[in-house]
Amino acid sequence: MSDYSSQFLTVEVIAHTAVVTFNNPPAHTWTAQSLADLRDLVLSLNEDKNIYALVLTGDGGKFFSAGADLNVFADGDKQVARDMSDIFAQAFETLATFRGVSISAINGYAMGGGLEVALACDIRIAEEHAVMALPEASVGLLPCAGGTQNLALLVGEGWTKRMILCGERVNADKALAINLVEEVVAKGEGKRAAIALAEKVAKQSPVAVAACKQLIQKNRVMPIEQALPQERQAFVDLFDSLDQKEGVQAFLDKRKPVWLNK
């Protein structure tokens, strides 16, 4: 456990990867505090130049996260609803813009806000017994933490409507088939697979990875004819970095690069 850990989030730093385990048993539901903790954690990791990747998973083998605790909304208080939706947005939108690469190891049920946190990540790995859903409409609510938008980016409008409007749950194999996740692994292997993928990230220039991630995600907010010139400019800007010089020289020297993250 590292100094980054908090009441609901256990953090272990392995080489250049921060492994974050949700720890709010039994179902790892989100609270205002745990969401604030996630937001603050990602902001701190953004400043830690030793961290290149972030892995999220749930403690145990049954739940990744069951999302929001509906007891919070039982009295129908609109101000509570507004406050919770705001802190969900702060947490997951901060996660989506994490400087490095974020990977979810979905090791069980990922429901509502539990799936939305995975949708905010760059890559999703599901264990074979995982079940994913956005069931908010079944209790008169809707996914307010990016679900209606981020799900459609991955699976298209049709499957987004099946999952949200029809309340359809998907298992790991179906999630893989519709591009909701990028890989399915055996039960208990999600965390290990995510860390192994994060180790591949560490072989890349952190400066280049951050620039590439920002460019890839520009398709969400601008047409390609505007993004392409920014891509070319970002390429030129990398020549201001020490990593660019090290990467090219290491290749020419036939050795592994030593990244400076600057």
Side-chain angles (χ1 to χ4, degrees):
M1 195 164 71
S2 79
D3 293 340
Y4 286 119
S5 296
S6 57
Q7 180 181 355
F8 300 112
L9 303 174
T10 302
V11 184
E12 179 185 11
V13 175
I14 302 173
H16 296 290
T17 302
V19 180
V20 181
T21 303
F22 304 144
N23 184 31
N24 186 24
H28 309 313
T29 49
W30 290 108
T31 67
Q33 185 60 55
S34 65
L35 290 163
D37 288 348
L38 179 63
R39 175 200 63 200
D40 294 344
L41 169 63
V42 175
L43 291 173
S44 295
L45 295 177
N46 277 336
E47 299 302 315
D48 187 341
K49 297 301 184 182
N50 184 59
I51 299 299
Y52 301 168
L54 170 62
V55 169
L56 298 177
T57 194
D59 186 48
K62 185 174 182 180
F63 285 97
F64 175 71
S65 170
D69 182 349
L70 289 181
N71 287 309
V72 174
F73 306 117
D75 60 4
D77 189 321
K78 286 185 69 175
Q79 188 58 50
V80 170
R82 184 172 290 108
D83 290 344
M84 283 299 292
S85 66
D86 284 348
I87 192 62
F88 264 112
Q90 291 176 35
F92 294 176
E93 289 170 23
T94 299
L95 174 61
T97 56
F98 170 55
R99 165 183 51 78
V101 177
S102 54
I103 306 168
S104 283
I106 304 172
N107 61 318
Y109 286 97
M111 316 297 284
L115 179 56
E116 286 174 301
V117 70
L119 294 173
C121 288
D122 299 312
I123 300 165
R124 286 148 296 281
I125 297 172
E127 295 187 10
E128 59 189 2
H129 67 294
V131 177
M132 288 148 271
L134 292 177
E136 284 86 348
S138 67
V139 293
L141 297 172
L142 60 78
C144 71
T148 63
Q149 304 304 301
N150 292 333
L151 182 61
L153 287 170
L154 293 171
V155 306
E157 189 172 302
W159 268 102
T160 298
K161 287 176 175 176
R162 285 184 69 149
M163 291 183 68
I164 295 178
L165 306 186
C166 304
E168 189 162 344
R169 297 184 176 193
V170 297
N171 61 22
D173 287 340
K174 178 61 73 174
L176 182 64
I178 65 175
N179 296 323
L180 175 52
V181 303
E182 285 74 43
E183 185 178 359
V184 174
V185 298
K187 185 174 183 179
E189 292 296 310
K191 178 178 174 181
R192 192 162 69 92
I195 292 171
L197 190 58
E199 289 173 350
K200 294 183 179 181
V201 174
K203 297 178 181 178
Q204 313 278 84
S205 158
V207 175
V209 165
C212 289
K213 176 174 172 174
Q214 291 177 13
L215 287 163
I216 292 167
Q217 293 184 177
K218 284 186 182 296
N219 71 83
R220 303 177 179 184
V221 295
M222 66 176 58
I224 189 171
E225 62 267 20
Q226 293 179 24
L228 286 172
Q230 295 190 24
E231 182 183 65
R232 295 192 294 273
Q233 184 59 50
F235 173 78
V236 174
D237 290 344
L238 285 176
F239 283 77
D240 292 329
S241 73
L242 296 178
D243 271 4
Q244 180 275 325
K245 296 173 180 63
E246 167 63 10
V248 172
Q249 194 59 52
F251 177 83
L252 295 175
D253 293 344
K254 299 182 179 179
R255 60 176 174 83
K256 290 184 177 180
V258 179
W259 301 122
L260 300 172
N261 200 3
K262 57 185 178 180

